[in-house]
């Protein structure tokens, strides 16, 4: 069982709903994120659920790439070691508002793609030196195929998924687990502005699914699992037809 | 005020889906330390949880609904005393998932667990244990109330007492509850010892009820509202207590908690199906008395097991009519009302009858009082609305009142007479908050 857990983007609902299941006596959570008060709220919640845990709060902005390495050093120093890293931060901008503005696009890429790759890379180096460890990253089903309505977020997540695939192959021999989580549509703050749909899942259900995927050590986990089928169908549509669908 | 109906958000109906009044905008509030920017609100607003109020007390046509359901963190929990403090948008479902494995249970719960903590306070909800435990508000030790001028008031029976009393049962109008603290009751297992007893008529109900309240903290009865004459008021009496380790045979394995969906929005509930349902429900139990061990889900939340059952009344929606009448005149009023319902031919799926105890409520507008309460559903129609107006006359004659959380049609004048703290309460209403219910009862 994981005992020393670094969560980046710890105030996200999916990170919180996942962490609840890891909260067991003796576990130390290192909660990293941009806003201290939010992290404190999460820390209080986890501590109320299980008094025999430790939590540390660490303020960091995903876009401060220079500080990423220090984050891992500090987390390892405070917890004595790290055995699980969960990367969960992200944003979902309204595509039509940013699709013609390269500054906005690059910023979205910074948050959803390059910072995730940077953090994953530092985690990989740390685990490689340690000789063990698990990295779980929240990518998205949106990364499985580019769609007109969502290709900026989607392509950023797609790059993350491919990066993790390669990293997994590289680190397999060292016994390090790389877990790609692909949540489907989840009713969170991020999607609160989107119209209702029966495809939406509740954060608590998805958090439980992410926890199970990490515990069972899956390579790639669609959460909920039926998204694997949905995405298989979506990926199977020929591009000549797909481009005419307004998805 | 004229409202452009085309731009309204239709995703936030009330539970009965009647009346159909939609907000112009829905905002979400997620972090309790970052208050909403009230000065940027272009219209009045109403705090909103899971929308389980049946009528318009959870609606604000043309205004802003402030959805607080993302604010759902636990703040602290004392394992020794069972006192929990949590953010106001947390659901009873989430609270139970947290409390039950730790040996605790909600002190009071209504018949659905898909409600928010703030909604439970704002409607001062009651449950099967009213006579032994009072309302949910009787167990609240403290909460924080955010006013739209930015003030945060800590309210308890000692501090800001007036806001405490105005907010419990205050329909969300006195401000936004950001967090609340309450005392849980201990419950060593998720199970309940339950007995079901058939009764042939109303008199038998009262006989069973009297002896049951002495030995069972939880009681309720279902009435077959299609029965007439000497069968009038027949039904099944349900009573229970927390299961005890060593005394009761506790199952090892927890049952799966999954609601079976009821997605069909067609009028499945009509006279024929209701008659059949009531017959089956009454006759599902052949023996006079059955007993057994039940998980808390079927015991407290039988209808939560049928996801979306409220849609079975069809697109027009449905209304629930719940009243309480004082004990003295109560038996007679209940009899007259059941006679009226059964002879109207308008039938109801589940009619619930129980008695309220005499624990004084904490809120100015709390519904329960010592007496008998009956809840009945009708599909919305001209006939059912006319029947409700006839029932109003009987309730008023009996000195009773109606429950706002279920209401979509009571008259303003009736409301003001039922709740004679109305004027005192009005002083505590936040100037930026209102609801369609509140607007309605100002009229007439």
């Amino acid at each position: 069982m994981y005992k020393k857990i670094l969560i980046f983007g710890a105030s996200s609902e999916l990170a919180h709903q996942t962490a609840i299941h890891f909260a067991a006596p003796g576990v130390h959570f290192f909660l990293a994120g941009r806003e201290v008060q939010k992290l404190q709220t999460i820390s209080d919640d986890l501590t109320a659920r299980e008094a025999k845990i430790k939590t540390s709060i660490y303020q960091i902005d995903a876009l401060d790439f220079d500080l990423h390495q220090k984050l891992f050093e500090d987390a390892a120093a405070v917890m004595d070691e790290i055995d699980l890293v969960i990367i969960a931060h992200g944003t979902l901008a309204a595509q039509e508002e940013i699709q013609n503005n390269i500054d906005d696009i690059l910023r979205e890429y910074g948050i959803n793609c390059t910072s995730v790759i940077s953090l994953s890379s530092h985690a990989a180096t740390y685990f490689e030196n340690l000789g063990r460890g698990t990295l779980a990253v929240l990518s998205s089903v949106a990364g499985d195929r580019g769609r007109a309505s969502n290709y900026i977020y989607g392509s950023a997540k797609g790059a993350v998924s491919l990066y993790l695939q390669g990293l997994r192959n590289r680190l397999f021999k060292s016994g390090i687990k790389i877990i790609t989580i692909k949540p489907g549509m989840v009713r969170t703050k991020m999607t609160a502005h989107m119209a209702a749909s029966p495809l939406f899942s509740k954060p608590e259900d998805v958090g439980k699914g992410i926890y199970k995927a990490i515990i069972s050590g899956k390579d790639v986990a669609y959460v909920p699992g039926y998204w694997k089928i949905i995405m298989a169908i979506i990926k199977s549509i020929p591009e000549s037809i797909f481009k005419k669908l307004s998805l | 005020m004229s409202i452009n109906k085309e731009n309204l958000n239709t995703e936030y109906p009330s539970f009965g889906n009647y009346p159909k009044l939609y907000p112009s905008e829905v905002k979400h509030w997620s972090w309790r330390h970052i208050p909403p920017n009230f000065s940027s609100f272009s219209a009045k607003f109403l705090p909103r949880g899971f929308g389980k109020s049946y009528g318009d007390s959870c609606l604000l046509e043309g205004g802003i609904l402030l959805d607080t359901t993302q604010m759902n963190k636990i703040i602290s929990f004392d394992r020794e005393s069972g006192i929990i403090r949590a953010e106001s948008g947390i659901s009873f479902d989430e609270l139970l998932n947290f409390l039950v494995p730790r040996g605790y249970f909600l002190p009071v719960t209504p018949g659905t667990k898909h409600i928010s903590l703030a909604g439970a306070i704002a409607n001062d909800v009651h449950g099967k244990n009213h006579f032994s435990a009072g309302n949910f508000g009787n167990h609240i030790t403290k909460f924080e109330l955010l006013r739209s001028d930015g003030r945060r008031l800590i309210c308890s029976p000692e501090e800001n007492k007036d806001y405490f009393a105005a907010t419990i049962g205050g329909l969300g109008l006195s401000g936004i509850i950001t967090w609340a603290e309450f005392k849980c009751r201990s419950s060593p297992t998720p199970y309940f010892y339950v007995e079901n007893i058939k009764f042939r008529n109303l008199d038998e109900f009262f006989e069973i009820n009297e002896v049951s309240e002495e030995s069972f903290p939880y009681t309720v009865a279902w009435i077959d509202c299609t029965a007439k004459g000497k069968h009038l008021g027949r039904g099944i009496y349900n009573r229970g207590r927390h299961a005890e380790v060593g005394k009761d045979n506790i199952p090892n394995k927890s049952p799966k908690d999954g609601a079976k969906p009821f997605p069909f929005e067609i009028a499945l509930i009509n006279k024929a199906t209701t008659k059949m349902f009531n017959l089956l429900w009454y006759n599902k139990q052949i023996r006079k008395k059955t007993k057994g061990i039940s998980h808390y889900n079927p015991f407290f939340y039988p209808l939560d097991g049928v996801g979306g059952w409220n849609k079975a009344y069809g697109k027009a929606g449905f209304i629930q009519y719940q009243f309480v009448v004082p004990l003295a005149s109560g038996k007679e009023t209940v009899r007259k009302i059941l006679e009226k319902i059964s002879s109207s031919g308008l039938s109801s799926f589940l009619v619930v009858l129980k008695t309220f105890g005499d624990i004084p409520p904490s809120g100015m507008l709390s519904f329960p009082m010592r007496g008998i309460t009956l809840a009945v559903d009708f599909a919305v129609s001209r006939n059912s609305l006319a029947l409700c107006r006839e029932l109003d006359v009987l309730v008023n004659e009996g000195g009773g009142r109606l429950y706002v959380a279920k209401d979509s049609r009571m008259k303003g004048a009736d409301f003001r007479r039922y709740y004679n703290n109305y004027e005192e309460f009005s002083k505590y209403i936040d100037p930026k908050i209102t609801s369609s219910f509140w607007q309605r009862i100002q009229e007439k």
Side-chain angles (χ1 to χ4, degrees):
Chain A
M1 230 2 222
Y2 296 106
K3 294 274 186 197
K4 296 161 192 298
I5 304 172
L6 163 62
I7 307 180
F8 196 96
S11 64
S12 92
E13 272 158 289
L14 291 187
H16 173 228
Q17 291 297 337
T18 305
I20 286 170
H21 299 281
F22 281 106
V27 168
H28 192 153
F29 287 106
F30 195 88
L31 307 171
R34 209 153 43 101
E35 292 182 57
V36 170
Q37 192 63 47
K38 291 183 182 177
L39 298 172
Q40 187 62 51
T41 300
I42 301 295
S43 167
D44 291 347
D45 178 277
L46 294 173
T47 309
R49 288 170 194 275
E50 176 50 66
K52 295 188 188 109
I53 58 166
K54 273 200 244 174
T55 61
S56 306
I57 285 172
Y58 194 85
Q59 187 185 17
I60 182 169
D61 190 319
L63 296 176
D64 282 336
F65 288 78
D66 295 345
L67 301 178
H68 288 183
Q69 187 179 341
K70 188 165 181 303
L71 162 73
F72 285 91
E73 289 165 7
D74 290 347
V78 168
M79 297 193 289
D80 204 28
E81 198 179 293
I82 307 170
D83 55 24
L84 170 64
V85 171
I86 300 174
I87 300 178
H89 69 287
T91 53
L92 178 59
Q95 160 112 12
E96 61 276 22
E97 286 171 22
I98 63 162
Q99 61 197 8
N100 296 320
N101 184 326
I102 193 64
D103 289 340
D104 288 345
I105 294 172
L106 290 179
R107 192 187 143 72
E108 288 297 301
Y109 254 72
I111 296 166
N112 294 318
C113 181
T114 46
S115 70
V116 179
I117 288 174
S118 166
L119 290 162
S120 299
S121 164
H122 286 293
T125 308
Y126 172 80
F127 287 143
E128 219 172 6
N129 289 333
L130 189 68
R132 60 180 177 273
T134 298
L135 168 66
V137 180
L138 270 62
S139 184
S140 169
V141 294
D144 280 12
R145 186 152 198 181
R147 292 177 300 129
S149 61
N150 197 17
Y151 64 86
I152 294 167
Y153 179 77
S155 58
K157 290 294 193 183
V160 167
S161 295
L162 278 182
Y163 174 87
L164 294 171
Q165 206 170 38
L167 192 63
R168 180 179 306 114
N169 291 0
R170 188 188 115 202
L171 295 178
F172 170 70
K173 292 177 207 74
S174 331
I176 293 157
K177 273 186 228 155
I178 308 292
I179 300 173
T180 310
I181 310 280
K182 295 185 179 178
M185 289 161 70
V186 192
R187 239 330 159 206
T188 61
K189 297 183 233 331
M190 209 192 225
T191 58
H193 62 282
M194 290 164 69
S197 154
L199 285 175
F200 271 114
S201 306
K202 290 194 284 186
E204 50 267 39
D205 297 338
V206 175
K208 195 172 189 182
I210 294 172
Y211 166 76
K212 284 184 180 165
I214 295 173
I215 290 302
S216 64
K218 276 190 181 174
D219 294 327
V220 179
Y222 288 83
V223 188
Y226 56 75
W227 278 94
K228 190 174 183 177
I229 300 162
I230 296 175
M231 295 319 294
I233 295 167
I234 287 183
K235 282 193 285 187
S236 72
I237 302 171
E239 190 69 7
S240 56
I241 297 170
F242 196 76
K243 69 183 178 192
K244 295 173 193 158
L245 306 172
S246 41
L247 282 169
Chain B
M1 187 174 67
S2 74
I3 293 156
N4 178 359
K5 302 221 174 196
E6 279 171 23
N7 298 326
L8 302 182
N9 183 333
T10 60
E11 285 174 23
Y12 283 72
S14 67
F15 192 59
N17 201 13
Y18 174 83
K20 296 181 191 336
L21 303 172
Y22 302 114
S24 59
E25 195 182 349
V26 176
K27 290 181 185 284
H28 295 264
W29 187 20
S30 312
W31 297 99
R32 70 177 188 277
H33 65 281
I34 308 173
N37 183 6
F38 296 114
S39 58
S40 74
F41 284 18
S42 56
K44 284 205 176 189
F45 74 98
L46 179 67
R48 163 95 174 198
F50 292 92
K52 289 294 179 289
S53 296
Y54 284 64
D56 50 2
S57 64
C58 63
L59 304 176
L60 178 52
E61 187 177 40
I64 297 166
L65 289 182
L66 185 63
D67 181 332
T68 60
T69 58
Q70 286 167 358
M71 210 161 56
N72 60 0
K73 312 293 182 291
I74 295 168
I75 299 168
S76 62
F77 178 61
D78 182 338
R79 276 165 179 69
E80 298 301 312
S81 64
I83 290 181
I84 186 169
R85 183 182 292 197
E87 291 181 342
S88 61
I90 197 166
S91 69
F92 271 23
D93 187 25
E94 290 166 285
L95 284 168
L96 287 165
N97 289 340
F98 174 79
L99 292 171
V100 172
R102 291 164 177 82
Y104 284 96
F105 206 80
L106 295 165
V108 165
T109 175
T112 174
K113 58 182 176 172
H114 301 300
I115 60 165
S116 68
L117 174 55
I121 297 170
N123 292 287
D124 200 11
V125 297
H126 61 269
K128 293 182 185 188
N129 58 348
H130 184 271
F131 62 95
S132 60
N135 301 334
F136 187 67
N138 289 101
H139 303 270
I140 295 287
T141 47
K142 203 179 260 190
F143 56 79
E144 183 188 75
L145 186 70
L146 174 68
R147 301 273 295 180
S148 66
D149 59 11
R151 278 186 303 156
R152 289 177 187 259
L153 307 174
I154 302 293
C155 305
S156 72
E158 291 82 36
E159 205 177 341
N160 291 310
K161 287 183 233 179
D162 44 355
Y163 278 98
F164 187 76
T167 303
I168 293 176
L171 306 170
L173 299 168
S174 62
I176 313 172
I177 301 164
T178 57
W179 56 259
E181 187 184 272
F182 62 94
K183 192 165 172 14
C184 304
R185 67 165 295 158
S186 79
S187 177
T189 83
Y191 292 94
F192 285 77
Y193 170 78
V194 181
E195 292 183 358
N196 289 305
I197 304 163
K198 258 179 150 171
F199 53 92
R200 285 169 301 189
N201 53 46
L202 215 47
D203 288 332
E204 224 176 276
F205 163 83
F206 288 109
E207 283 164 29
I208 297 170
N209 192 53
E210 202 161 316
V211 294
S212 299
E213 291 190 351
E214 287 163 16
S215 40
F216 291 89
Y218 300 94
T219 67
V220 73
W222 283 280
I223 304 266
D224 173 1
C225 70
T226 62
K228 294 182 187 180
K230 63 176 184 173
H231 297 301
L232 187 80
R234 72 175 182 185
I236 296 174
Y237 195 92
N238 168 268
R239 61 190 189 187
R241 57 166 171 78
H242 292 263
E244 290 167 40
V245 181
K247 183 172 172 184
D248 298 307
N249 191 10
I250 314 286
N252 303 323
K253 215 169 150 238
S254 200
K256 263 207 144 161
D257 171 25
K260 290 173 190 67
F262 202 144
F264 313 106
E265 203 176 328
I266 48 173
L268 279 175
I269 298 183
N270 55 39
K271 202 171 160 183
T273 55
T274 310
K275 182 117 189 151
M276 190 183 294
F277 175 84
N278 275 286
L279 202 65
L280 286 173
W281 189 273
Y282 184 71
N283 288 313
K284 75 173 180 175
Q285 183 172 329
I286 293 161
R287 280 180 299 163
K288 176 78 179 160
K289 178 171 166 183
T290 63
K291 53 190 178 181
I293 299 292
S294 168
H295 187 263
Y296 70 79
N297 274 323
F299 181 56
F300 284 105
Y301 312 114
L303 288 175
D304 283 349
V306 191
W309 66 270
N310 53 325
K311 291 180 185 162
Y313 279 95
K315 280 193 167 27
F318 73 108
I319 44 181
Q320 185 163 89
Y321 192 88
Q322 182 171 1
F323 67 87
V324 58
V325 277
L327 276 187
S329 60
K331 288 186 190 181
E332 213 29 57
T333 306
V334 169
R335 189 184 310 280
K336 282 186 201 160
I337 285 184
L338 281 176
E339 275 166 6
K340 233 181 202 355
I341 294 170
S342 68
S343 65
S344 73
L346 293 167
S347 38
S348 171
F349 247 65
L350 281 176
V351 181
V352 176
L353 180 66
K354 65 175 270 92
T355 46
F356 284 146
D358 50 15
I359 298 173
S362 314
M364 291 181 190
L365 299 186
S366 298
F367 164 68
M369 60 174 166
R370 180 74 179 129
I372 310 166
T373 183
L374 183 105
V376 43
D377 315 323
F378 302 107
V380 172
S381 71
R382 196 184 305 165
N383 288 346
S384 61
L385 290 167
L387 174 64
C388 289
R389 282 192 291 278
E390 289 179 40
L391 301 184
D392 286 348
V393 175
L394 295 171
V395 169
N396 294 349
E397 277 172 12
R401 64 180 173 220
L402 299 180
Y403 189 11
V404 174
K406 308 284 179 76
D407 181 69
S408 46
R409 44 148 306 276
M410 76 169 86
K411 288 203 167 77
D414 282 340
F415 171 83
R416 296 191 289 271
R417 201 177 56 257
Y418 297 154
Y419 297 93
N420 51 19
N421 283 328
Y422 160 82
E423 287 199 17
E424 171 67 9
F425 169 77
S426 302
K427 294 180 200 163
Y428 299 97
I429 295 177
D430 188 291
K432 289 201 171 161
I433 301 181
T434 191
S435 66
S436 284
F437 170 81
W438 198 253
Q439 292 171 345
R440 172 165 63 84
I441 57 99
Q442 308 299 317
E443 301 160 7
K444 285 179 268 187

